[in-house]
Amino acid sequence: MTSTITPATSAISVEEQQFNDLIEADSRIEPRDWMPEGYRKSLVRQISQHAHSEIIGMQPESNWITRAPSLKRKAILMAKVQDEAGHGLYLYSAAQTLGATRDDMTDALIAGKARYSSIFNYPTPSWADMGSIGWLVDGAAICNQVPLCRASYGPYGRAMVRICKEESFHQRQGFEILLELMAGNEEQRQMAQDSVNRWYWPALMMFGPPDDDSPNSAQSMAWKIKRHSNDELRQRFVNMLVPQAAVLGVTLPDPDLHFNEETQQWDLGEIDWTEFHEVLAGRGPNNAQRLQRRRDAHEDGQWVREAAAAYARKQSALTTTLEMAAS
Amino acid sequence: MSDDTTADAPADTHGDDHGHVAVDITTLDAELIEGPSDATADIAEYALWLGDDSLILAQQLGAWISRAPELEEDVALGNVALDLIGHARSLLHYAGTASNKTEDDLAYWRTEPEFRSLHIVEQPNGDFAHTIARQFIVSHYLFELYSRLRASADATLAAIAAKAVKEVDYHRDHSNQWVLRLAHGTDESRRRMITALSDLWPYVEEIFRDDPLIDRLEGVAVRPSSLRPAFDAAIAPVLAEAELEIPRGFVASGGGRTGNHSEHLAFLLAEMQVLTRAHPGASW
């Protein structure tokens, strides 16, 4: 847009001053407002990554739709995975208001060039994983996302309001699955504990690298896209989990976890960031499978999308012809 | 944390709530649980017919979620599946009142010959055109069925039908739209639509076949053969606009209502029941 007219002097343009004033006043930036190119790029990156995460995130759970152990659980799981498709749609739409196209974003995802949350590269070998994903993964996502409802970019903040509302149901249903399993037989309790053991650390890694190793955080916080640091959010999450784990009767797999009287917080043991970087680098358990499945769905559906587009063109041509005949 | 969420989230403002199933709504409607009376053995059998059709079709559609041609269809097919699983739960719950069984006892612990589903719902998803052809046939049938079942002498069946008919009306519309898009889209989509309709059509006749059970349920059940004229009349204009002809060819002998199923059902049940059967007596 007009970002090329940045003056050569140290004085900033009128538009940039207006943008800075809006950020300062905690107002929303809207699609037609001027914005620095870096702000736009940063948002497109963050929003499209979030959308991709919703879409790839459907896979570990849809894995259990056909095998859900009761009709009630089947209905809930279908509704949840379907919500995730809806979240992907709102988020792609929000990114589109910044000039990104859905085709480009989809192509980048399928080509393996776009990032999505690494957590979805872990497998779901047991039903209890539907509980852990809700309780831990959606729980972590909520901690990350609630502050985003106040993100400075209007369409993103508004999409997040709707998403967070649904995520809180998702988290609750995950907790309920684990609660039911923990009240069940020995095999069910074992299934739940084993699943929590597998998902706990990856869920903590969802908040991103430690603050002193997070390249994009400072600028995002200055622009009020992001409101809290990775470590602050992670700490908040663990403080919330500890009493919930006690209610469930599951053990959080961190022998060093202890309450710090001085800070009144739960201090956690050291996170193995090697694993995080391995999964991020494409060496996680399911990276290849997740991408292949998305590509297959996209390619298998190509002829359907082409048919819908061709039909829409024909209908629109027909309408034009009819209108011309009538006039 | 959920308090934070609530504080930040305004009231839901989107207009059309169809298919928007909040995941906290998990119980059956009260009127369906507190039905006026338990089902008789014959009514339970009839409820199984209808409940199994919905259950098997929902199970198939659920497999599309995360694999659909576009995100909008992940959502749409998910909506249809959710509606159908809702109908199945109500009907199986009611069927179970005759034998003191739960909806899950019936869904997960019956063997293949004990199922009562029609062969059409057992046909695999195939490509998107096959799923649409199956939806087109079944939703039009269900719409005619539930429209009439609203007047059933059985209050529970009438209540279930009154709720279901509004939902299958959407399913009918969804499939009509796709039949038109595929038929008039590209050469490839037209070819696939014609193939799919021809592959599914052999299973249409079984839907409208009568059974001695129906004679015993006069005024309660809807006679399948009586729905055929309305079904034919409802699909005709869509097929005409799509420039598709009713396929002539095989007629499958069927037998689902007496427990004689297609080769596909055993695989579907094996997958659906595997976890539950590995843990007898467990609660989920």
Side-chain angles (χ1 to χ4, degrees), chain A residues 28 149 156-166, chain B residues 8-10:
Chain A
R28 299 274 206 194
C149 297
Y156 189 30
R158 287 188 289 272
M160 291 314 303
V161 169
R162 170 90 186 261
I163 289 171
C164 284
K165 193 177 157 196
E166 294 179 345
Chain B
D8 275 13

Side-chain angles (χ1 to χ4, degrees), chain B residues 64-77:
Chain B
W64 270 107
I65 304 175
S66 80
R67 290 179 174 86
E70 53 190 13
L71 282 177
E72 286 81 352
E73 281 308 300
D74 281 306
V75 174
L77 293 172

Side-chain angles (χ1 to χ4, degrees), chain A:
Chain A
M1 295 185 55
T2 50
S3 58
T4 50
I5 58 161
T6 310
T9 63
S10 61
I12 61 171
S13 67
V14 177
E15 290 101 329
E16 188 162 5
Q17 188 56 52
Q18 281 170 345
F19 172 85
N20 290 345
D21 292 346
L22 283 171
I23 296 284
E24 190 56 36
D26 261 342
S27 289
R28 299 274 206 194
I29 308 297
E30 295 300 335
R32 289 198 188 88
D33 292 341
W34 183 90
M35 61 189 81
E37 205 43 40
Y39 177 83
R40 180 188 304 278
K41 275 191 185 151
S42 188
L43 275 168
V44 168
R45 180 180 57 81
Q46 181 169 337
I47 298 172
S48 61
Q49 282 180 13
H50 188 171
H52 298 328
S53 302
E54 296 282 357
I55 301 313
I56 297 290
M58 293 166 73
Q59 290 183 34
E61 292 174 289
S62 67
N63 184 30
W64 282 92
I65 288 178
T66 55
R67 294 175 294 163
S70 73
L71 296 185
K72 174 179 132 177
R73 292 288 173 210
K74 189 189 289 290
I76 296 172
L77 190 59
M78 275 186 191
K80 179 177 193 283
V81 182
Q82 191 214 28
D83 275 353
E84 285 154 9
H87 296 174
L89 276 174
Y90 314 146
L91 289 163
Y92 282 130
S93 303
Q96 283 169 288
T97 65
L98 292 158
T101 70
R102 195 156 136 195
D103 284 346
D104 287 347
M105 291 185 277
T106 305
D107 290 346
L109 176 62
I110 287 169
K113 290 179 188 155
R115 290 214 184 281
Y116 56 85
S117 183
S118 271
I119 193 86
F120 300 119
N121 289 320
Y122 289 87
T124 51
S126 101
W127 167 253
D129 295 334
M130 300 304 97
S132 295
I133 288 183
W135 182 45
L136 297 172
V137 176
D138 295 331
I142 294 169
C143 285
N144 264 330
Q145 291 171 3
V146 165
L148 294 177
C149 297
R150 295 186 292 127
S152 56
Y153 187 59
Y156 189 30
R158 287 188 289 272
M160 291 314 303
V161 169
R162 170 90 186 261
I163 289 171
C164 284
K165 193 177 157 196
E166 294 179 345
E167 290 292 351
S168 79
F169 287 128
H170 295 180
Q171 204 238 357
R172 217 179 302 162
Q173 66 85 36
F175 185 83
E176 205 202 24
I177 286 175
L178 292 175
L179 197 61
E180 191 84 39
L181 290 174
M182 290 305 289
N185 61 36
E186 183 50 35
E187 269 180 300
Q188 288 179 298
R189 280 194 294 277
Q190 190 54 46
M191 195 189 282
Q193 181 63 57
D194 168 67
S195 174
V196 169
N197 291 350
R198 284 183 287 108
W199 289 94
Y200 176 75
W201 290 109
L204 294 194
M205 295 179 207
M206 284 175 69
F207 295 95
D211 294 346
D212 48 20
D213 187 27
S214 178
N216 297 316
S217 284
Q219 181 62 71
S220 285
M221 287 178 74
W223 276 331
K224 297 187 180 173
I225 295 172
K226 194 167 168 166
R227 300 265 177 175
H228 305 278
S229 79
N230 296 351
D231 287 332
E232 276 170 30
L233 289 169
R234 187 166 18 243
Q235 182 65 57
R236 193 185 286 193
F237 180 56
V238 173
N239 290 346
M240 182 197 83
L241 282 188
V242 173
Q244 294 181 357
V247 172
L248 286 174
V250 295
T251 307
L252 296 176
D254 176 1
D256 297 327
L257 185 69
H258 67 276
F259 192 69
N260 183 328
E261 291 291 345
E262 201 177 313
T263 60
Q264 294 289 301
Q265 313 252 35
W266 287 87
D267 288 349
L268 43 148
E270 203 161 326
I271 296 177
D272 178 9
W273 289 105
T274 327
E275 179 182 315
F276 176 79
H277 291 297
E278 280 291 290
V279 180
L280 205 62
R283 289 188 287 270
N286 284 34
N287 301 53
Q289 181 188 321
R290 297 291 182 242
L291 221 54
Q292 182 188 343
R293 164 80 172 276
R294 181 83 310 258
R295 191 183 59 233
D296 286 350
H298 188 71
E299 289 175 359
D300 291 349
Q302 181 77 25
W303 70 270
V304 179
R305 294 190 301 276
E306 282 169 5
Y311 180 72
R313 278 195 302 275
K314 288 176 192 172
Q315 290 300 104
S316 141
L318 187 66
T319 312
T320 313
T321 314
L322 290 174
E323 279 169 3
M324 282 169 70
S327 65

